[in-house]
Amino acid sequence: AIARVEDRAALEQVARRVAKKDKAVYRSAREKLRLLAERDEEPKRIRAQCAELCERAERLGHLENWTQDRALLEHLDRQWTELESRAELDLRERFAAARGRFLAAYEAHRSANAAQVAAQEALAALRARREGLLEEATGLAALDTEVAIRTARERLTAAWSALGSLPESEQRGLDARFARLVGAADVAEQSMAEQRRSVSRLRKTVARLEKLCAESKPLDLAQARTLADQGRALSAGLAGSQAGEGLVAAFAEVSARLEGRGKSQRRHAEQRLAELPARLDELETLVDAGELKKADPVHQSIQAGLELIQASGLPREPTEAISARMRALTPRLRDLHHWRRWGADQHREALCEAMRALRDQDLPLAAVAERLHVLRTDWKELDQSGSPANQTLWERFHQAAHAVQSRIQPLLAAQAKEWEGNRTAREQVCQQLEDFLSRIDWERVDWKRVMRAEREIRHAWSLIGLCEARARFRLDRRFHKGIKELDHRLESERERNQALKQGLVTRVEALAALPDLEVAIEETKALQRQWHTTVPSRQRDENRLWQAFRAGCDAVFQRRAAIQQAHRGELQENLSVRETLCDEALDCADRETDPRRLASALRDLESRWRDAESLPVPRH
């Protein structure tokens, strides 16, 4: 009803009478009263605003600030446009007269002072251009890159120089401001250049430190310390810089690793220094005994220890005596090497004689081939022992070996033919494996077929004999690459299938406690349909998961069996109640002769029968 009342007195009466009864109606009435008051006051407010605008328009031009008053007129026009449709006629005429009078006076002033106005406008435009350039120059130092700063600075400097001059005092101040801003841009550009150089130097330092960390040989700790000091100085200069943030973190990480390795190396060097006297005693004992084979690794170990101690920056005094003893042992080691070379030459003489005798021995070709391989292996071991053969002995051995090689050539040809067949068979197996892998769709795959194929391929590969070593190594890599991919696929599917089964076990175990038994049974049946094996795991793992799943399913079905058993017991109990009533009725009919007692018993039996009739009994 309040929404339809428009009379002020009626609204005030409603507000007074419901103020303490209905707050919502009271607030609505007060709001409508406020709106009515505003509506009544609006003409007065609009007239006052229009009158004020007219007075301000009439004052335009009195002080002959023509440019300022012209801009003020545009502002008054915008305000008048908002009020004109609601202004009274006399005020509209008054504003139009004041506006026309000012515009006429302004045009007269412009005509009389056209040149002066043009000059002022040109100065104002020039001043605005220079202020705009100063505004742009303010953001020079905040640009991201040196190129951006340099390009923007050159453009602004050229634009500033191309503009005309303002009055000297004003121009001097603007030039000073522009020079300060350009100077700040130069400082920012130099700072970026210096930062870029620091980033480049720090990147090179980090790379050198990474290379030192990756080297297996002992660190030169003095060099590493110098590089670390350089890096720390550069990192301090780049602290807080976004460009060098990642490099500073990388330097800190590699510096920590290098420092840890340096400490470990120094401890190791100190330990090696403590062990060197005993190792020198051992070397002297071996040299005295003439055991060069054992002395050589000890000698190399001592040399490596001395290099480690020197690289680790330990004092030189403890190693001087050890170095002197090493220099004394060097000639004796050299003599042992000479004796070893003489002994090796004697052994080579024996190998040459054995090879020459093998050429004429009446042995099966297979035995000759095996003996040839043994003699050549012995010769290579002598070469690898550090005692190179002279040219004469090598030529004698080589000629005799060539003669033996010619003798067993038929055996080698048959062996080569067999190896060629084996190589072809291996290539065919590899090709079959690669074709199988390329054709199979891993999204829809028969995993049993994949497992059967893997077993067949492995079996076929195991039945193929040897082939030449180079081809065998290449084909072995090719075969094992394909088998590895196949095994990886099978293992991934095996893990996925195991995870699926484990998930089914977890879900079916949770169903045992679900309150809604019917839903639990339906979900259990759905989970049973989802149980399947694609790639089996170990039998005991499969059995364990299956037993856990079956136990979870049985727990759900046992709940139903228990409920059914309880229901059957309840039905049987209800049946017993009704049979008891029947027996009582028959007994009462046989036993009782008084009609009144019979009627009373009948009413009691019928009442009890009606109570028991609502209880369910077995259907049959």
Side-chain angles (χ1 to χ4, degrees):
I2 279 292
R4 302 180 63 180
V5 175
E6 298 294 336
D7 181 66
R8 183 191 301 273
L11 287 172
E12 290 176 350
Q13 182 182 5
V14 170
R16 284 195 304 274
R17 296 181 65 177
V18 303
K20 296 182 179 180
K21 298 178 181 179
D22 192 325
K23 293 296 183 183
V25 174
Y26 176 74
R27 283 194 293 269
S28 298
R30 298 304 303 173
E31 179 63 20
K32 290 203 68 172
L33 284 169
R34 185 184 65 77
L35 293 176
L36 288 174
E38 289 181 357
R39 188 178 63 187
D40 294 342
E41 292 295 328
E42 186 177 12
K44 298 178 183 179
R45 180 177 57 80
I46 292 176
R47 181 173 180 81
Q49 291 177 352
C50 291
E52 182 183 0
L53 291 176
C54 291
E55 290 176 2
R56 293 174 66 184
E58 290 169 350
R59 289 197 299 269
L60 293 175
H62 286 183
L63 300 179
E64 296 186 353
N65 295 328
W66 300 104
T67 304
Q68 180 179 350
D69 287 350
R70 182 68 182 85
L72 180 58
L73 178 62
E74 295 179 358
H75 178 64
L76 295 177
D77 284 342
R78 287 193 296 272
Q79 292 181 343
W80 181 261
T81 301
E82 297 176 359
L83 300 173
E84 186 176 9
S85 61
R86 293 175 288 177
E88 298 178 359
L89 178 61
D90 59 331
L91 292 174
R92 289 201 298 269
E93 293 175 352
R94 180 181 173 188
F95 184 81
R99 186 177 185 280
R101 183 176 62 255
F102 170 74
L103 288 176
Y106 177 73
E107 290 299 328
H109 170 74
R110 279 181 59 84
S111 300
N113 301 281
Q116 183 180 358
V117 170
Q120 290 178 354
E121 290 179 350
L123 284 176
L126 179 61
R127 189 177 296 109
R129 290 286 307 278
R130 289 194 179 274
E131 288 292 343
L133 292 177
L134 287 171
E135 184 69 24
E136 289 188 49
T138 304
L140 279 177
L143 293 177
D144 295 335
T145 61
E146 303 168 56
V147 176
I149 292 177
R150 189 182 308 113
T151 303
R153 183 192 62 206
E154 293 173 354
R155 178 178 59 80
L156 292 176
T157 302
W160 186 270
S161 302
L163 293 176
S165 298
L166 292 169
E168 183 179 357
S169 59
E170 185 177 1
Q171 183 67 37
R172 191 182 308 114
L174 293 175
D175 286 341
R177 285 175 58 194
F178 186 76
R180 285 196 300 273
L181 293 173
V182 171
D186 291 340
V187 171
E189 182 182 1
Q190 293 173 5
S191 175
M192 287 184 181
E194 181 62 29
Q195 187 179 83
R196 175 172 50 79
R197 289 191 291 270
S198 297
V199 167
S200 177
R201 289 198 295 269
L202 182 58
R203 184 178 291 108
K204 292 179 181 178
T205 302
V206 169
R208 292 177 66 184
L209 291 175
E210 290 281 2
K211 185 178 179 182
L212 283 177
C213 283
E215 289 178 350
S216 58
K217 65 180 182 180
L219 286 175
D220 186 345
L221 293 187
Q223 178 188 7
R225 194 175 298 110
T226 302
L227 286 174
D229 292 340
Q230 293 175 0
R232 274 190 287 273
L234 293 171
S235 296
L238 293 173
S241 167
Q242 186 176 2
E245 182 178 357
L247 275 177
V248 171
F251 169 76
E253 189 269 335
V254 72
S255 176
R257 282 195 288 124
L258 198 66
E259 183 178 358
R261 182 175 171 185
K263 291 179 180 178
S264 175
Q265 177 177 315
R266 191 174 180 88
R267 288 195 301 269
H268 185 51
E270 292 172 351
Q271 184 179 2
R272 292 289 293 275
L273 179 61
E275 296 172 354
L276 281 183
R279 298 290 284 171
L280 265 174
D281 294 339
E282 181 184 0
L283 179 61
E284 288 179 348
T285 303
L286 293 172
V287 170
D288 291 339
E291 296 184 8
L292 182 60
K293 188 173 183 179
K294 295 180 180 180
D296 269 342
V298 176
H299 179 263
Q300 293 172 4
S301 174
I302 295 173
Q303 289 285 8
L306 289 173
E307 293 174 1
L308 175 65
I309 292 167
Q310 182 179 2
S312 302
L314 295 182
R316 298 175 59 88
E317 292 79 7
T319 61
E320 290 179 354
I322 296 173
S323 299
R325 291 177 64 185
M326 285 288 291
R327 287 193 295 272
L329 285 172
T330 301
R332 299 173 62 186
L333 279 170
R334 192 180 302 117
D335 291 341
L336 289 177
H337 278 288
H338 291 328
W339 279 108
R340 182 172 66 179
R341 184 175 301 165
W342 177 82
D345 288 344
Q346 295 299 313
H347 192 180
R348 288 192 180 93
E349 286 280 358
L351 290 176
C352 290
E353 289 299 324
M355 186 65 76
R356 186 184 60 78
L358 181 62
R359 181 183 56 188
D360 302 326
Q361 284 180 343
D362 185 14
L363 293 174
L365 292 182
V368 173
E370 183 179 356
R371 181 62 177 160
L372 173 65
H373 176 71
V374 171
L375 293 176
R376 281 177 168 172
T377 303
D378 290 346
W379 185 277
K380 289 180 181 179
E381 289 177 354
L382 284 175
D383 287 342
Q384 294 168 0
S385 67
S387 301
N390 60 55
Q391 187 66 22
T392 303
L393 286 174
W394 184 85
E395 289 178 356
R396 282 175 57 192
F397 183 81
H398 180 68
Q399 290 173 359
H402 182 71
V404 175
Q405 181 84 15
S406 300
R407 179 183 172 188
I408 63 172
Q409 194 60 40
L411 175 65
L412 295 177
Q415 186 182 59
K417 185 176 180 180
E418 179 185 357
W419 284 5
E420 178 68 20
N422 293 339
R423 181 183 61 79
T424 303
R426 287 175 180 264
E427 288 179 345
Q428 290 176 351
V429 172
C430 290
Q431 189 62 44
Q432 290 173 2
L433 176 58
E434 292 166 355
D435 292 344
F436 178 77
L437 289 172
S438 64
R439 289 195 306 267
I440 195 165
D441 182 4
W442 295 109
E443 298 298 327
R444 296 183 297 273
V445 58
D446 183 355
W447 291 105
K448 292 182 180 179
R449 176 171 169 262
V450 173
M451 294 175 62
R452 184 169 60 253
E454 186 202 25
R455 288 194 298 269
E456 292 174 355
I457 289 173
R458 285 184 181 274
H459 181 66
W461 183 265
S462 66
L463 295 178
I464 302 174
L466 295 176
C467 63
E468 60 273 19
R470 182 180 302 176
R472 184 172 70 252
F473 295 149
R474 174 178 58 82
L475 292 171
D476 280 347
R477 286 196 300 270
R478 182 179 171 188
F479 176 77
H480 287 104
K481 178 182 178 182
I483 285 294
K484 185 176 180 181
E485 180 181 354
L486 192 57
D487 288 343
H488 175 69
R489 296 281 189 178
L490 290 170
E491 184 60 29
S492 299
E493 176 58 24
R494 182 179 292 110
E495 292 177 357
R496 189 202 66 79
N497 189 242
Q498 289 286 299
L500 170 67
K501 292 179 178 178
Q502 187 61 54
L504 294 177
V505 169
T506 303
R507 290 168 62 186
V508 80
E509 288 174 348
L511 290 176
L514 192 67
D516 192 337
L517 181 59
E518 293 299 325
V519 174
I521 290 174
E522 291 302 321
E523 291 191 11
T524 301
K525 292 178 180 179
L527 295 179
Q528 286 177 332
R529 290 191 294 271
Q530 295 177 32
W531 184 278
H532 66 282
T533 300
T534 53
V535 179
S537 183
R538 293 181 300 181
Q539 189 63 41
R540 62 181 182 182
D541 294 336
E542 293 289 340
N543 291 341
R544 175 180 55 80
L545 283 173
W546 174 247
Q547 290 168 3
F549 183 71
R550 288 305 310 163
C553 294
D554 291 343
V556 175
F557 294 128
Q558 284 170 4
R559 283 180 58 197
R560 181 175 67 177
I563 292 174
Q564 290 176 346
Q565 182 63 32
H567 183 63
R568 285 194 296 270
E570 182 183 1
L571 294 179
Q572 194 64 37
E573 184 178 351
N574 295 339
L575 179 61
S576 298
V577 171
R578 293 203 191 186
E579 289 177 343
T580 302
L581 288 175
C582 292
D583 292 341
E584 287 183 16
L586 291 173
D587 181 65
C588 182
D590 293 339
R591 176 174 47 81
E592 192 61 57
T593 57
D594 186 359
R596 285 179 296 178
R597 284 198 296 270
L598 276 172
S600 174
L602 178 60
R603 286 193 298 273
D604 178 62
L605 287 170
E606 287 179 343
S607 174
R608 290 165 61 192
W609 180 266
R610 282 193 299 272
D611 293 340
E613 197 171 17
S614 62
L615 301 176
V617 295
R619 182 176 300 175
H620 64 275

